[in-house]
Amino acid sequence: MIGGLFIYNHKGEVLISRVYRDDIGKGPFPNCFHKVGSTESYRMRNAVDAFRVNVIHARQQVRSPVTNIARTSFFHVKRSNIWLAAVTKQNVNAAMVFEFLYKMCDVMTAYFGKISEENIKNNFVLIYELLDEILDFGYPQNSETGALKTFITQTGIKSQSKEEQSQITSQVTGQIGWRREGIKYRRNELFLDVLESVNLLMSPQGQVLSAHVSGRVVMKSYLSGMPECKFGMNDKIVIDKQGKGGATEEQSIAIDDCTFHQCVRLSKFDAERSISFIPPDGECELMRYRTTKDIILPFRVIPLVREVGRTKLEVKVVIKSNFKPSLLAQKIEVRIPTPLNTSGVQVICMKGKAKYKASENAIVWKIKRMAGMKESQISAEIELLPTNDKKKWARPPISMNFEVPFAPSGLKVRYLKVFEPKLNYSDHDVIKWVRYIGRSGIYETRC
Amino acid sequence: MEWANQLCENRQFGSKMTDSKYFTTTKKGEIFELKAELNSDKKEKKKEAVKKVIASMTVGKDVSALFPDVVNCMQTDNLELKKLVYLYLMNYAKSQPDMAIMAVNTFVKDCEDANPLIRALAVRTMGCIRVDKITEYLCEPLRKCLKDEDPYVRKTAAVCVAKLHDINAQLVEDQGFLDTLKDLISDSNPMVVANAVAALSEIAESHPNSNLLDLNPQSINKLLTALNECTEWGQIFILDCLANYTPRDDRESQSICERVTPRLSHANSAVVLSAVKVLMKFMEMLPKDLDYYSTLLKKLAPPLVTLLSAEPELQYVALRNINLIVQKRPEILKHEMKVFFVKYNDPIYVKLEKLDIMIRLASQANIAQVLAELKEYATEVDVDFVRKAVRAIGRCAIKVEQSAERCVSTLLDLIQTKVNYVVQEAIVVIKDIFRKYPNKYESVIATLCENLDSLDEPEARAAMIWIVGEYAERIDNADELLESFLEGFHDESTQVQLQLLTAIVKLFLKKPTETQELVQQVLSLATQDSDNPDLRDRGYIYWRLLSTDPVAAKEVVLAEKPLISEETDLIEPTLLEELICHIGTLASVYHKPPSAFVEGSRGVMHKRLPARTGSGESTESPDVGTAAGGSAPEAAPSIIPSQGDLLGDLLNLDMAPPTTSGPPPPTTGMQMGGMDLLGGGLDSLMGDESEPPHVPPRTDTPRSPSPQPPSPVYTHTDYTYTDYSHTDSPPDHSPTEHSPPAELGGDIGGSPAMGAGFGAAPAVMPASLNAPVGGGLGDLFDLGGVGMPMGAYIPPKIVWLPAMKAKGLEISGTFARRAGVIQMELILTNKAMSVMTDFAIQFNRNSFGLAPAGPLQVLTPLGPNQTIEVSLPLSTVGPVMKMDPLNNLQVAVKNNIDVFYFSCQYPISMLFVEDGKMERQVFLATWKDIPNDNESQFQIKDCHLNSDAASSKLQGSNIFTIAKRTVEGQDMLYMSIKLSNGIWVLAELRVQAGNPNYTISLKCRAPEVSQCVFQCYEAVLKN
């Protein structure tokens, strides 16, 4: 299991170091000529330094998120300029270690916001406390923020009543570790966001090389008690099962795969394909899914790149919006890469604003709003400095960003029913909101 | 929720904003100040001081001197302060064991506290203080906590048992904690169960033989129930534990699978991967014909694809695992090629892994798409990635035959970019393509040779040298090329040296006259001036072969090479099997067994997939291979599975001429050992490449002439991991270091006296050349000698166009086939008084579509009485018209004076192509298939060659002997010829010892060619 967890700043200085197992201190690590202290803590420093020297300060780009130095394995993730590293000497479950590191980031964000050097230094006592709680001997323990916040607080624990204490422990260890009892709201309300990111890789000729939608259903619930919820969508398998008798005109979609928040009863989904759960209070990501069939591609990019001699490039890009004319896409941004030896760029666009950004080696074309079934065009002349570089310019793909008010996968929420048998509010009393947002993931067209 | 966060943050701003200041105090006398503060009466001040201490500890300052003062702060009802002190204790207790005892009383007291959180905190911290003296005091509180009424305390105590076991295993056993822990598996609280399982699994790992976990259907059932209820982490512990269980039969296996499958929809990737592990393992036991089996296969693909939308680090872990799964069960993801296409913004580690999987999934169905992608990648920025993409193109060519041509042309395009590392990489893979499809793409050799100077990496140099050696007979200046490498012989890497040695020996065997000096030079460089045992041994072997039996030498060195396997760098099956049992873990990320990177007793136990039970065994289909059984190797006929059979032949070599029998089966362990030793040595001695043993060796070894499929002596399972720990280093092409013991060289060379003999050999050699040693080196250098390869038969030049008929231009010439290219060799003589210019040539339509492949290269004007020799390469793609005689060619030559016509006859032998060797089975079938009417018989008179000499002579003209049979003193040679237009001619040549008259029977679907072919036989054999 995890032998230790370190947090570094971008310079490689240690901000947090928590050692769970002694074995990780045993080097000998190359390139670490730390004065060999007799004390245990000095030995630990070796592992800490080994990571700094071999990964953070490494000359080359990081080639793997898992590094093995002197039979010690280092897992790392980076958040802005903070490095989180987990260290082990054993054959641990690697997927679990990374999941844990992400979870650790989530927990820290939930407690003190952005993960930055300043925030970490400001909250180092809290972080140690969290690390003590969510990792025991390197084994991850309950790490749901909802539960943690009941007993790891910033104010110090006041003397709790015995009942309160046992309520905490039963929640932390219990079956429904993500929700505490006795939550009360005057107004029972829930918000569902269907957030999709549509990914596309298109050939210059307009052939779809790969396209998929990865979507998330995020639920914000402000419900009293322990509500039992049931969620339904236009899943093809479910619709086909029911649709035999009734004449459901609804379009159904084929979901390739989906994963659920741990509150969802997976065995019930496996057996009946029904999604039932008791939600955590507040926000949670109920479900993630992926579809590849019948995707609505909101935009089509048609590139035309022509090399005029050795010192000039002509680029013309047309974008076409492909959805109902009544809907509006927002935050549209087209990024047209330019060669490294670009000396000057002239851009003409019909709509929006376009600018050549030398530091990013790209022409960035921004359009605030665009209705469906419209098209717009940009043309640019790129002047190049003559080079003797033999290698041809690699022509990175043209990428796009946008936001549309529908789900490109075609997913529709059919219902979300709430039952709370103990309290006297019914499904009809709950105010429900649904919103669909489709964003671009990696939306690229080769040119 | 949002506002709650806000609230929380706001509250922090009041009190916590200043925590970072603790990191900045670096004043002198700091310790002293802290000491004073720690002993302060004010609670707040105390807490501040402890925080400062922890901050100093974090940044690496030694604050152990404050130990007693900090411990004094321990007795407090402030939980936050208590936790801070505990943190300090965990860090420094080991360096101050005596002082640590001071804390014991507080711990014991805390373990009795009314607050379950404090009880748990105490027992958790106590386990982390790794001091022997303290462990004794830990036992009683721990025992109580294991039976605590509060689940939070129990789950903490469960982990504490594992901690204590790590410090003092004996104590844990003596105190009976293991039994208590086992009882916790039946606890009512799922989290307690999960932690107990985790602790027991860890303890069990260091006691491989104990039956600690004692998994049985009842306990499995309990685990599966807890699986539905515990946290995501708990689910991982339980699934990882389940993976160690071996179900009794397929029915139990299926029911566990059914209960595990829902986990594939979990949001946590680690839960998904652990579930995949359980399913992959238990699937082994399910009968293949079961409906559930195929349902399960279908269910596995979507979650694996979903893992690719996780964060990049997890994607990497997932991809490494998918790489294993694809090798084990290719059917799962065979339709999912597109998801592995590389995205521009993927981190490099993700890109490289995706590329690997793309090649594994490449098939005829998707090859076009894959190639288009790979071509795209070859223009990217990252050098490693580009290299791998180039290499991948080559691997596609080898894997999917239909794509080979496109791959080669793509590679040639890439070579034209002249980007150094691209060129080198392309040359390395083209070598492999040559190995896979001999005599097919040699036309590219010229392009490769152009880039000779830019090669600076050993691997590329070695590959190029191999190509030059292999095709020496078709590269006019092969000797010069190789000689140029020889100059810096000692500066080359071993790989290049070995290759150079082999290539020059090959060249020598092909062109003995011109390269005698070169071969002596390289042999002496390798044997005398080198300290490398591999090189020396290989040098001695060649030397001895050349000097004792040149025919054997030829058979060994120039033998037909075994085909290379389609799948390169597959993980060796037993290792793969073990890694499948470790899905999700580090082992699966490194592709190494845990024993390769874990110290101590942990992970030494090798995990195995369960054997299939019941009816499944007999119905096992071949596509899954035999990895399940882990025994017999996959003996696909075209692949050399191990060195075993090569070895047999080589051993035979030393004792007797190669026999047709299979390799001698090893009878005793002793013999096995001996052979193994030799095997390793020979691999590198004879090998063209040094490469990891799990790739079928590409060695210049003779193939046993016996028709039965190779029966390997060794199976894959004979390899042990320790031998091949390097299999995990970048898989293909990495040089292996076989270091046979130093004596081996002596052993192979024979007795020490022999060795000495070699030492003196260079001086002796010229003398021995003249000595008429039967079958010795003397014969080798004798051009007319027996068993030497001849170039293709070239008829002498004759006058085609006399000067009289052509206003003073005389043309004589002949035809030749060199390096696979047909050439018309012309001598133009100007016997007129004026200068001749503007030469051009054209052919009339002819039987085999011969046409000039380029213009006639007469660049300078031809003055009076001047002669010029021109060679004109010919192609066989011109217009076809049947001529009489068949080999008649009508030529028109033009110059500034006039156009002249003449006709000539070419020997049909120059149309015999290099890949005219038919497979034995095909030959038999074809022979039977061609009607007897098409057979024609001829007599060749007055020929004094024996059958072997005849055969090798004919081979020089691409007439290949496929088999030889001796019936009553008469040698029957069976031969095949392939014409450039694809016509096959089969021949049976009967040679009677002592009778100078041969009988030849020719069979061909186009019997018209027989007459011409017979003429060739006569011409070749008599010249």
Side-chain angles (χ1 to χ4, degrees):
Chain A
M1 280 305 117
I2 298 172
L5 202 136
F6 308 130
I7 301 180
Y8 300 83
N9 66 9
H10 66 287
K11 286 184 255 173
E13 290 163 358
V14 191
L15 304 177
I16 299 286
S17 117
R18 175 72 162 95
V19 174
Y20 296 95
R21 289 171 184 236
D22 281 350
D23 56 357
I24 61 162
K26 290 165 197 154
F29 294 103
N31 306 326
C32 292
F33 305 107
H34 209 283
K35 57 177 174 185
V36 182
S38 52
T39 60
E40 201 63 22
S41 59
Y42 270 111
R43 293 242 313 264
M44 291 307 159
R45 303 300 298 182
N46 281 338
V48 174
D49 291 341
F51 182 76
R52 174 186 26 249
V53 172
N54 291 292
V55 180
I56 302 181
H57 290 172
R59 290 212 185 99
Q60 288 163 332
Q61 193 193 350
V62 182
R63 305 305 271 194
S64 160
V66 186
T67 322
N68 194 325
I69 309 164
R71 291 192 150 219
T72 308
S73 301
F74 295 80
F75 299 75
H76 73 264
V77 299
K78 240 185 127 179
R79 288 287 179 271
S80 62
N81 53 10
I82 297 295
W83 298 74
L84 271 87
V87 190
T88 184
K89 278 240 156 184
Q90 297 173 24
N91 182 30
V92 297
N93 188 320
M96 185 188 79
V97 176
F98 280 122
E99 282 285 4
F100 176 78
L101 288 175
Y102 300 142
K103 193 64 161 201
M104 179 74 204
C105 293
D106 291 347
V107 171
M108 289 197 291
T109 317
Y111 265 95
F112 52 75
K114 194 172 169 273
I115 296 174
S116 66
E117 182 171 354
E118 201 194 347
N119 277 345
I120 286 172
K121 281 185 172 172
N122 279 336
N123 293 286
F124 82 96
V125 174
L126 168 72
I127 295 172
Y128 276 124
E129 209 175 314
L130 286 170
L131 281 176
D132 200 40
E133 186 56 45
I134 59 179
L135 261 189
D136 191 4
F137 201 40
Y139 288 105
Q141 305 292 308
N142 192 337
S143 46
E144 286 300 310
T145 8
L148 289 172
K149 279 190 173 169
T150 58
F151 69 107
I152 295 183
T153 59
Q154 288 293 286
T155 50
I157 293 179
K158 287 168 234 119
S159 49
Q160 294 140 321
S161 72
K162 213 168 175 192
E163 274 151 38
E164 275 173 331
Q165 286 163 4
S166 70
Q167 201 189 334
I168 290 170
T169 57
S170 75
Q171 199 212 327
V172 172
T173 59
Q175 276 191 37
I176 307 163
W178 52 87
R179 189 180 180 94
R180 64 188 170 89
E181 292 203 36
I183 296 171
K184 280 206 179 84
Y185 287 99
R186 230 154 38 107
R187 197 162 112 127
N188 289 303
E189 204 171 11
L190 67 86
F191 301 87
L192 271 181
D193 281 344
V194 177
L195 306 171
E196 295 197 339
S197 89
V198 51
N199 297 277
L200 170 75
L201 184 63
M202 195 176 251
S203 77
Q205 291 77 33
Q207 187 189 357
V208 176
L209 295 175
S210 72
H212 73 272
V213 167
S214 54
R216 302 185 298 147
V217 177
V218 176
M219 175 169 169
K220 273 179 217 155
S221 63
Y222 306 101
L223 303 170
S224 312
M226 291 299 233
E228 180 68 54
C229 300
K230 210 172 163 192
F231 174 67
M233 54 187 175
N234 57 340
D235 176 2
K236 198 167 195 269
I237 299 175
V238 177
I239 302 266
D240 287 357
K241 228 189 260 172
Q242 303 170 341
K244 273 171 195 160
T248 39
E249 286 302 306
E250 270 182 290
Q251 286 277 319
S252 60
I253 62 160
I255 291 176
D256 287 29
D257 188 38
C258 47
T259 60
F260 295 101
H261 186 268
Q262 59 169 321
C263 66
V264 176
R265 294 181 189 92
L266 293 179
S267 32
K268 206 157 179 189
F269 177 75
D270 194 56
E272 307 162 20
R273 225 175 155 85
S274 72
I275 304 164
S276 63
F277 54 96
I278 296 172
D281 192 36
E283 186 174 318
C284 85
E285 187 183 287
L286 183 65
M287 152 182 190
R288 275 181 188 239
Y289 56 92
R290 188 167 48 81
T291 71
T292 46
K293 287 192 193 74
D294 304 321
I295 294 168
I296 307 157
L297 295 170
F299 284 96
R300 162 102 203 267
V301 178
I302 305 155
L304 202 83
V305 180
R306 206 158 69 89
E307 285 174 44
V308 188
R310 288 178 56 82
T311 57
K312 206 168 146 191
L313 270 180
E314 280 180 11
V315 181
K316 198 176 113 180
V317 176
V318 180
I319 59 167
K320 285 183 179 170
S321 58
N322 177 34
F323 44 87
K324 272 189 223 155
S326 58
L327 299 174
L328 272 182
Q330 293 186 73
K331 300 177 191 167
I332 302 149
E333 186 187 288
V334 182
R335 189 169 279 267
I336 305 162
T338 57
L340 294 173
N341 56 336
T342 303
S343 62
V345 176
Q346 268 127 34
V347 211
I348 308 161
C349 58
M350 293 167 13
K351 222 177 163 207
K353 280 180 191 162
K355 226 186 227 170
Y356 166 61
K357 294 197 172 168
S359 58
E360 294 165 40
N361 285 311
I363 299 167
V364 181
W365 177 25
K366 286 183 181 170
I367 304 170
K368 278 201 183 121
R369 250 169 246 106
M370 190 166 170
M373 304 317 261
K374 288 262 161 50
E375 91 175 50
S376 190
Q377 181 183 323
I378 184 173
S379 50
E381 273 186 23
I382 302 168
E383 274 159 46
L384 305 172
L385 291 170
T387 58
N388 49 5
D389 197 356
K390 271 188 199 151
K391 209 173 170 226
K392 260 176 62 189
W393 176 48
R395 282 204 188 179
I398 294 175
S399 58
M400 232 194 132
N401 288 313
F402 53 80
E403 203 178 288
V404 288
F406 60 90
S409 70
L411 182 129
K412 293 255 160 40
V413 176
R414 290 173 61 220
Y415 57 81
L416 199 145
K417 293 175 192 153
V418 182
F419 309 97
E420 168 56 69
K422 285 186 198 149
L423 298 171
N424 53 350
Y425 70 91
S426 73
D427 186 38
H428 300 290
D429 302 333
V430 180
I431 306 159
K432 302 168 192 167
W433 307 87
V434 184
R435 168 168 74 158
Y436 299 91
I437 301 174
R439 292 201 182 94
S440 53
I442 294 165
Y443 203 84
E444 292 179 333
T445 307
R446 288 182 178 156
C447 57
Chain B
M1 191 71 177
E2 279 303 310
W3 62 263
N5 270 344
Q6 288 275 313
L7 210 73
C8 223
E9 269 168 46
N10 287 341
R11 211 181 301 161
Q12 288 166 39
F13 278 106
S15 63
K16 301 291 159 193
M17 209 33 213
T18 48
D19 271 5
S20 59
K21 71 169 186 262
Y22 303 117
F23 282 85
T24 51
T25 48
T26 46
K27 286 175 288 182
K28 259 192 172 176
E30 188 193 346
I31 298 274
F32 186 77
E33 261 179 44
L34 281 173
K35 213 179 178 85
E37 282 174 37
L38 284 170
N39 291 316
S40 154
D41 292 334
K42 287 181 191 158
K43 266 191 185 168
E44 259 325 289
K45 204 159 192 179
K46 254 189 187 175
K47 203 165 132 188
E48 293 289 291
V50 177
K51 279 189 186 179
K52 280 184 202 166
V53 171
I54 302 288
S56 306
M57 192 175 84
T58 298
V59 297
K61 279 179 216 156
D62 188 357
V63 283
S64 57
L66 295 167
F67 201 92
D69 308 282
V70 177
V71 172
N72 274 338
C73 303
M74 195 170 157
Q75 278 178 326
T76 170
D77 49 357
N78 185 325
L79 198 59
E80 196 187 4
L81 180 58
K82 199 184 266 289
K83 282 181 179 173
L84 286 174
V85 176
Y86 282 177
L87 191 62
Y88 179 90
L89 268 175
M90 287 186 267
N91 248 306
Y92 286 110
K94 202 158 188 189
S95 57
Q96 314 238 349
D98 294 330
M99 304 271 248
I101 296 289
M102 290 163 51
V104 166
N105 271 334
T106 322
F107 277 127
V108 175
K109 222 173 86 195
D110 279 355
C111 284
E112 313 257 331
D113 198 283
N115 187 341
L117 291 173
I118 294 191
R119 290 202 297 275
L121 180 65
V123 78
R124 185 165 69 210
T125 313
M126 231 174 153
C128 293
I129 295 175
R130 305 171 53 85
V131 176
D132 275 340
K133 281 179 192 158
I134 287 201
T135 50
E136 292 165 27
Y137 295 95
L138 178 60
C139 290
E140 280 322 301
L142 178 59
R143 199 188 313 282
K144 268 186 207 152
C145 287
L146 280 168
K147 302 210 161 124
D148 200 284
E149 52 170 22
D150 194 293
Y152 184 78
V153 180
R154 288 202 301 275
K155 71 113 185 161
T156 312
V159 176
C160 192
V161 176
K163 292 180 191 171
L164 189 60
H165 185 269
D166 196 38
I167 307 167
N168 191 340
Q170 197 56 46
L171 187 69
V172 171
E173 278 165 51
D174 294 348
Q175 296 280 332
F177 284 138
L178 293 181
D179 294 323
T180 325
L181 203 52
K182 276 191 213 167
D183 293 342
L184 287 184
I185 289 193
S186 317
D187 199 281
S188 58
N189 185 294
M191 196 157 175
V192 177
V193 177
N195 276 4
V197 165
L200 275 174
S201 304
E202 180 168 341
I203 294 169
E205 242 177 71
S206 48
H207 293 275
N209 296 323
S210 71
N211 194 20
L212 252 185
L213 268 165
D214 187 29
L215 293 174
N216 53 50
Q218 287 76 36
S219 60
I220 289 292
N221 201 25
K222 278 178 202 155
L223 291 183
L224 285 168
T225 313
L227 187 61
N228 287 325
E229 295 164 350
C230 60
T231 65
E232 44 192 333
W233 313 116
Q235 297 186 18
I236 299 169
F237 306 152
I238 291 177
L239 287 168
D240 284 352
C241 174
L242 270 180
N244 291 327
Y245 176 64
T246 311
R248 290 161 308 171
D249 52 30
D250 49 332
R251 216 170 300 153
E252 190 188 3
S253 181
Q254 179 177 345
S255 84
I256 296 176
C257 286
E258 277 165 357
R259 293 178 71 177
V260 167
T261 352
R263 297 299 120 195
L264 294 175
S265 308
H266 202 284
N268 187 315
S269 309
V271 175
V272 176
L273 268 177
S274 291
V276 168
K277 165 163 57 188
V278 174
L279 296 175
M280 282 291 286
K281 200 175 161 182
F282 288 7
M283 247 168 109
E284 286 295 320
M285 291 183 66
L286 297 178
K288 282 234 159 85
D289 40 8
L290 201 68
D291 286 343
Y292 182 70
Y293 179 83
S294 44
T295 322
L296 198 54
L297 274 182
K298 273 187 213 128
K299 277 193 176 170
L300 276 172
L304 287 173
V305 174
T306 297
L307 292 177
L308 298 183
S309 45
E311 288 85 343
E313 291 88 3
L314 267 174
Q315 274 188 54
Y316 174 73
V317 174
L319 285 165
R320 293 291 283 175
N321 280 289
I322 289 172
N323 199 330
L324 297 173
I325 293 167
V326 164
Q327 288 183 56
K328 179 76 189 156
R329 295 192 180 276
E331 63 270 33
I332 294 178
L333 287 167
K334 67 180 173 200
H335 299 302
E336 304 287 350
M337 173 60 97
K338 277 187 177 180
V339 300
F340 297 103
F341 284 178
V342 170
K343 291 181 190 139
Y344 191 73
N345 292 328
D346 280 336
I348 182 67
Y349 48 80
V350 170
K351 283 184 177 177
L352 292 173
E353 287 310 312
K354 281 187 173 173
L355 198 49
D356 229 30
I357 295 167
M358 276 174 71
I359 302 162
R360 294 209 194 285
L361 292 178
S363 67
Q364 204 183 327
N366 55 26
I367 194 74
Q369 266 185 327
V370 173
L371 263 182
E373 282 290 309
L374 292 177
K375 212 174 162 183
E376 197 77 30
Y377 304 160
T379 59
E380 281 227 28
V381 187
D382 190 280
V383 178
D384 283 354
F385 182 59
V386 171
R387 280 172 177 273
K388 198 159 183 172
V390 174
R391 201 161 275 204
I393 296 174
R395 276 168 68 182
C396 283
I398 290 165
K399 200 172 167 194
V400 186
E401 186 162 0
Q402 292 80 356
S403 75
E405 191 134 1
R406 286 172 61 189
C407 294
V408 170
S409 73
T410 310
L411 287 170
L412 281 179
D413 287 349
L414 291 171
I415 288 178
Q416 299 303 344
T417 62
K418 303 276 178 198
V419 179
N420 190 283
Y421 55 85
V422 174
V423 173
Q424 310 213 36
E425 210 60 48
I427 285 181
V428 173
V429 290
I430 285 180
K431 176 208 65 192
D432 289 349
I433 295 176
F434 281 177
R435 284 293 312 277
K436 172 81 188 199
Y437 311 109
N439 301 316
K440 213 162 168 192
Y441 299 109
E442 279 68 36
S443 48
V444 308
I445 291 178
T447 322
L448 302 186
C449 288
E450 283 166 24
N451 293 286
L452 208 63
D453 297 332
S454 63
L455 307 181
D456 51 13
E457 291 162 21
E459 208 184 342
R461 285 171 83 84
M464 193 64 220
I465 292 171
W466 182 86
I467 292 172
V468 174
E470 188 64 16
Y471 296 99
E473 68 273 29
R474 322 221 187 125
I475 303 172
D476 288 340
N477 59 344
D479 50 342
E480 283 167 35
L481 293 179
L482 292 176
E483 202 169 358
S484 68
F485 281 105
L486 203 57
E487 280 160 19
F489 189 76
H490 289 299
D491 301 328
E492 301 282 3
S493 71
T494 310
Q495 193 184 6
V496 180
Q497 288 176 333
L498 287 170
Q499 210 49 256
L500 196 51
L501 174 61
T502 307
I504 291 180
V505 171
K506 279 188 204 164
L507 172 71
F508 169 69
L509 289 170
K510 287 172 179 173
K511 296 183 181 173
T513 39
E514 307 123 59
T515 57
Q516 191 177 331
E517 240 175 74
L518 199 60
V519 79
Q520 283 182 22
Q521 207 183 335
V522 77
L523 284 175
S524 90
L525 278 172
T527 52
Q528 296 190 310
D529 302 342
S530 171
D531 295 330
N532 184 320
D534 283 357
L535 186 62
R536 263 203 328 257
D537 291 347
R538 197 190 280 195
Y540 280 131
I541 280 239
Y542 283 145
W543 205 322
R544 184 149 173 238
L545 268 172
L546 290 176
S547 57
T548 49
D549 190 354
V551 183
K554 232 192 83 190
E555 272 178 55
V556 171
V557 180
L558 299 182
E560 189 182 317
K561 276 155 285 296
L563 284 182
I564 57 173
S565 142
E566 285 177 7
E567 291 284 353
T568 40
D569 58 63
L570 283 179
I571 291 174
E572 192 265 327
T574 37
L575 176 60
L576 180 62
E577 203 176 302
E578 188 180 0
L579 292 180
I580 289 288
C581 300
H582 287 292
I583 282 177
T585 69
L586 263 181
S588 72
V589 174
Y590 293 146
H591 289 183
K592 286 180 191 175
S595 52
F597 60 93
V598 174
E599 281 161 2
S601 57
R602 280 198 181 111
V604 173
M605 206 170 25
H606 289 301
K607 294 190 180 176
R608 288 264 171 279
L609 290 178
R612 204 173 292 272
T613 54
S615 59
E617 206 148 22
S618 52
T619 56
E620 192 167 309
S621 72
D623 62 334
V624 181
T626 44
S631 54
E634 292 166 56
S638 63
I639 301 169
I640 297 290
S642 72
Q643 299 116 312
D645 53 336
L646 315 178
L647 198 60
D649 290 330
L650 278 165
L651 285 177
N652 281 347
L653 251 180
D654 242 10
M655 305 180 286
T659 57
T660 46
S661 68
T667 44
T668 65
M670 265 298 280
Q671 200 177 345
M672 281 283 276
M675 286 172 75
D676 198 13
L677 183 67
L678 259 178
L682 283 172
D683 188 30
S684 58
L685 271 168
M686 303 305 294
D688 266 343
E689 309 301 80
S690 307
E691 59 196 43
H694 66 279
V695 182
R698 307 163 190 176
T699 48
D700 275 348
T701 31
R703 189 183 238 181
S704 165
S706 72
Q708 70 253 64
S711 52
V713 175
Y714 295 119
T715 60
H716 287 296
T717 41
D718 285 330
Y719 299 133
T720 52
Y721 303 127
T722 44
D723 283 353
Y724 300 112
S725 47
H726 54 261
T727 42
D728 321 286
S729 60
D732 49 347
H733 305 291
S734 68
T736 42
E737 266 129 78
H738 287 290
S739 316
E743 307 87 31
L744 192 61
D747 284 348
I748 287 179
S751 63
M754 282 283 269
F758 287 146
V764 181
M765 245 171 105
S768 69
L769 285 187
N770 302 331
V773 184
L777 212 51
D779 292 325
L780 257 175
F781 294 125
D782 182 359
L783 232 180
V786 216
M788 278 317 300
M790 310 276 299
Y793 165 64
I794 303 170
K797 288 196 174 77
I798 52 165
V799 176
W800 282 336
L801 182 69
M804 289 145 64
K805 279 190 179 171
K807 301 185 179 165
L809 175 67
E810 186 185 79
I811 300 179
S812 55
T814 185
F815 293 90
R817 186 182 181 90
R818 294 180 206 271
V821 180
I822 307 166
Q823 286 183 324
M824 187 183 203
E825 300 190 335
L826 297 161
I827 297 178
L828 307 177
T829 312
N830 184 354
K831 295 198 168 168
M833 303 300 285
S834 58
V835 176
M836 292 178 181
T837 55
D838 302 330
F839 285 95
I841 195 165
Q842 222 169 19
F843 292 175
N844 198 356
R845 296 174 178 201
N846 54 70
S847 318
F848 294 96
L850 282 173
L856 191 62
Q857 299 283 327
V858 185
L859 300 172
T860 49
L862 196 60
N865 275 329
Q866 267 190 338
T867 297
I868 188 166
E869 282 198 42
V870 197
S871 84
L872 176 73
L874 304 184
S875 70
T876 52
V877 292
V880 176
M881 185 174 79
K882 196 177 169 191
M883 301 294 288
D884 190 31
L886 213 56
N887 55 346
N888 198 15
L889 182 67
Q890 294 177 338
V891 184
V893 172
K894 185 198 96 140
N895 64 9
N896 57 336
I897 299 165
D898 206 339
V899 184
F900 312 104
Y901 303 91
F902 64 89
S903 70
C904 55
Q905 291 185 4
Y906 48 90
I908 204 165
S909 64
M910 57 178 232
L911 298 169
F912 298 170
V913 294
E914 276 71 19
D915 58 348
K917 186 156 189 175
M918 216 179 227
E919 283 299 328
R920 198 183 280 252
Q921 261 69 20
V922 184
F923 182 93
L924 277 175
T926 319
W927 184 270
K928 280 188 200 141
D929 200 23
I930 297 177
N932 281 340
D933 300 351
N934 284 10
E935 185 171 351
S936 36
Q937 225 173 52
F938 304 92
Q939 289 273 323
I940 300 171
K941 290 186 175 134
D942 278 314
C943 193
H944 295 278
L945 298 169
N946 67 25
S947 59
D948 285 346
S951 133
S952 74
K953 215 169 173 182
L954 289 166
Q955 176 144 5
S957 294
N958 293 339
I959 302 172
F960 297 95
T961 305
I962 290 164
K964 180 179 161 183
R965 207 156 54 119
T966 310
V967 181
E968 297 167 353
Q970 196 177 33
D971 288 339
M972 325 265 267
L973 297 171
Y974 294 94
M975 309 181 181
S976 72
I977 299 164
K978 189 182 170 191
L979 292 177
S980 57
N981 57 356
I983 293 178
W984 286 91
V985 182
L986 310 183
E988 182 199 43
L989 185 68
R990 264 175 267 168
V991 181
Q992 185 107 40
N995 184 352
N997 297 341
Y998 294 178
T999 312
I1000 181 161
S1001 307
L1002 296 172
K1003 256 189 161 185
C1004 179
R1005 289 188 206 277
E1008 305 91 312
V1009 300
S1010 297
Q1011 181 64 33
C1012 296
V1013 172
F1014 161 65
Q1015 283 167 7
C1016 286
Y1017 264 98
E1018 200 162 41
V1020 171
L1021 289 172
K1022 286 193 175 171
N1023 284 285

